[in-house]
Amino acid sequence: MMRKLSLLFAGALMGASAMSLVYGAPGSAANAAGSETYKQLAIFGDIFERVRANYVTPPDDKSLVENAINGMLASLDPHSSYMNAEQAQDMRVQTKGEFGGLGIEVTMENDLVKVITPIDDTPAAKAGVLAGDYIAKIDGEEVRGLTLNDAVEKMRGPVNTPIKLTILRQGADKPIEVTVVRDIIKVKAVKYRVENDIGYMKITSFTEKTYDDLENAIETIKKQVPNDKLKGYVLDLRLNPGGLLDQAVSVSDAFLKRGEIVSTRGRDPKDVTRFDAKPKQVDDINGKPMIVLVNGGSASASEIVAGALQDLRRVTVVGTQSFGKGSVQTIIPLGENGALRLTTALYYTPSGKSIQGKGITPDIKVDQPLPPDLQGRDLTRGESDLKGHIKGADESKTGSGSAAYVPPDPKDDLQLIYAEQLLRGEKTDPSFPPNPDKAVLNQ
């Protein structure tokens, strides 16, 4: 029996990809290739050998093959690809939500790694790394010239192994060297706080820990604010590129009493899989009103949650058009721990609408102005802009996506402020509160 585990994988700026992990042989035999196909494969083999024998410098055979495979897959769509052992392992680390590392959130600035914040009670925080520090060297190697991913990969590693960082800090007259011993870093998938009489929850990605983190956030907020004082919740899915499908379904289920959450449809019209909420008398937030925030950085798993709650009229969606990543990739393990990521299906909201190339349209559009230092730069992100993307059934000339920017200071966050004003009754809109009796379902 073939075992499947469906998931959505976060994909940075390009959005996430819905995936199915497949163990064992494919369920159906592939169509036999015609004689012309084998002639083309023979040409490929001939070219491969001529490159190996005659290229001006000896090429790396492994690199040639990997690039050939990726060239084939890239011709299909932007999300099909081959993952070597290292890349496949990195995918597993991202979806697990914990890894051996230092415990810092970082970005790239002025060709150096800038520390956004050290995570509390992690090796970096204990070693004295501060927000705003610039990492200039990692184990004596200059950071300049490295990509952010390269630098992050160097800082991750086996638990209990040391790493030396050379830090540039404002006010320090010379570089600071610190030695940090790696430990297991558990990334919190849900950040939350209380805004007086409103519970705010931000899901950063859908990892194995997301639903548990969400439940903890809800219970903590309930303890901090009496039920009669709590106006409602804001669920922030902005800049969330996706994650595990089962977690997206569980998160949606937390706010629903019944109904379909999402369906996936493959090449065969009969290949339809539906995911439904568990029937119950009351949802996890006791039916309190909720606003969901989305923008151009909300993709795949986050679009599944927003689309389900919007179609079932459980929430009002505020913000700007989401990314529009609605295709499903199947992850097929290969030899030597590599894997093939192949687009095999599309997913649909409860109303039967395809997210692919369209995204989630908010009930209330609220634009977020860019700060002066970002004005003039195109921060728009959308599946419909990707070369070779699969055209969605509901895709139009308008396309998908919008600006992927959220101010670091909540005081400047117009989308969040608008959501809180709706919950407090300081603003009104026909879309809020939504009427569950008017749920839009696929008939």
Side-chain angles (χ1 to χ4, degrees):
M1 178 68 69
M2 180 175 63
R3 174 171 169 259
K4 284 190 176 182
L5 172 64
S6 295
L7 57 90
L8 290 142
F9 175 63
L13 296 178
M14 289 177 60
S17 306
M19 298 184 183
S20 301
L21 242 59
V22 179
Y23 298 90
S28 61
N31 293 330
S35 60
E36 185 60 32
T37 301
Y38 286 111
K39 288 180 182 178
Q40 296 297 320
L41 288 172
I43 293 173
F44 170 77
D46 184 32
I47 292 173
F48 177 72
E49 290 302 334
R50 290 178 185 274
V51 169
R52 292 180 70 235
N54 300 318
Y55 188 66
V56 63
T57 58
D60 178 68
D61 288 357
K62 182 179 179 182
S63 178
L64 283 178
V65 173
E66 285 190 10
N67 285 323
I69 293 171
N70 274 316
M72 173 179 64
L73 295 170
S75 71
L76 301 175
D77 69 89
H79 305 291
S80 295
S81 65
Y82 167 71
M83 293 180 287
N84 59 30
E86 183 178 338
Q87 293 164 337
Q89 175 61 22
D90 189 51
M91 181 199 71
R92 289 188 285 270
V93 167
Q94 289 188 53
T95 56
K96 188 173 178 61
E98 62 181 46
F99 53 87
L102 311 183
I104 49 177
E105 294 182 16
V106 296
T107 187
M108 209 73 178
E109 189 174 294
N110 300 323
D111 294 327
L112 299 175
V113 173
K114 182 180 181 180
V115 178
I116 299 174
T117 182
I119 301 171
D120 291 341
D121 199 33
T122 60
K126 294 174 181 177
V129 178
L130 303 178
D133 283 349
Y134 288 88
I135 299 174
K137 294 181 181 180
I138 301 172
D139 278 336
E141 181 181 347
E142 291 281 352
V143 167
R144 292 184 192 277
L146 298 178
T147 65
L148 181 58
N149 285 340
D150 289 339
V152 168
E153 191 61 33
K154 287 182 177 296
M155 288 186 283
R156 288 181 180 175
V159 174
N160 295 326
T161 58
I163 182 173
K164 185 168 70 175
L165 304 178
T166 303
I167 291 173
L168 306 181
R169 180 176 296 166
Q170 187 174 6
D173 56 1
K174 62 180 181 180
I176 300 169
E177 290 193 350
V178 296
T179 297
V180 187
V181 179
R182 297 178 179 92
D183 201 351
I184 290 292
I185 306 301
K186 296 182 179 181
V187 179
K188 283 201 172 294
V190 181
K191 299 178 180 179
Y192 63 92
R193 63 178 183 268
V194 169
E195 296 276 357
N196 297 317
D197 50 2
I198 292 173
Y200 171 85
M201 301 176 294
K202 179 178 178 61
I203 300 180
T204 58
S205 62
F206 289 85
T207 70
E208 293 177 6
K209 303 178 182 304
T210 299
Y211 177 71
D212 290 341
D213 283 357
L214 177 71
E215 288 296 288
N216 177 63
I218 292 172
E219 290 306 312
T220 303
I221 290 169
K222 285 180 178 179
K223 290 176 182 177
Q224 292 182 5
V225 186
N227 188 60
D228 60 336
K229 302 292 184 184
L230 188 62
K231 299 292 186 186
Y233 294 81
V234 173
L235 182 66
D236 193 347
L237 299 177
R238 294 172 299 175
L239 304 183
N240 182 323
L244 299 171
L245 173 58
D246 67 337
Q247 294 291 308
V249 170
S250 295
V251 166
S252 301
D253 191 8
F255 306 112
L256 295 170
K257 293 191 290 184
R258 65 186 62 84
E260 181 180 308
I261 292 171
V262 67
S263 63
T264 63
R265 306 177 193 178
R267 180 171 169 176
D268 185 339
K270 297 178 182 178
D271 184 14
V272 178
T273 303
R274 303 185 187 279
F275 299 86
D276 298 316
K278 303 181 190 73
K280 47 187 175 289
Q281 294 299 314
V282 65
D283 62 34
D284 292 5
I285 57 173
N286 302 318
K288 288 286 186 180
M290 188 165 75
I291 306 288
V292 169
L293 298 179
V294 298
N295 67 5
S298 306
S300 207
S302 53
E303 292 175 295
I304 285 176
V305 174
L309 298 180
Q310 182 185 54
D311 279 2
L312 297 175
R313 296 295 187 261
R314 175 61 183 90
V315 306
T316 298
V317 178
V318 172
T320 55
Q321 198 78 10
S322 66
F323 187 87
K325 175 66 182 68
S327 63
V328 181
Q329 280 68 47
T330 296
I331 303 299
I332 304 170
L334 301 174
E336 298 184 8
N337 297 318
L340 169 63
R341 177 165 54 197
L342 187 67
T343 299
T344 55
L346 298 174
Y347 62 80
Y348 295 78
T349 68
S351 64
K353 291 181 180 179
S354 170
I355 297 171
Q356 177 67 14
K358 179 176 176 63
I360 301 297
T361 301
D363 299 302
I364 305 173
K365 183 181 179 183
V366 178
D367 290 310
Q368 178 63 54
L370 299 178
D373 59 324
L374 293 180
Q375 288 179 6
R377 294 172 57 183
D378 184 11
L379 298 182
T380 301
R381 298 287 180 266
E383 173 76 11
S384 60
D385 296 323
L386 298 180
K387 183 179 179 181
H389 78 281
I390 297 171
K391 188 172 178 63
D394 298 309
E395 184 176 342
S396 65
K397 291 182 179 179
T398 305
S400 62
S402 60
Y405 171 73
V406 177
D409 191 334
K411 296 195 301 293
D412 302 321
D413 192 339
L414 300 189
Q415 294 166 339
L416 175 58
I417 291 170
Y418 194 99
E420 292 179 345
Q421 289 175 332
L422 279 175
L423 288 169
R424 293 187 178 117
E426 299 166 0
K427 282 188 181 295
T428 60
D429 189 277
S431 299
F432 182 81
N435 184 354
D437 294 333
K438 295 184 178 180
V440 184
L441 302 177
N442 187 25
Q443 301 298 327

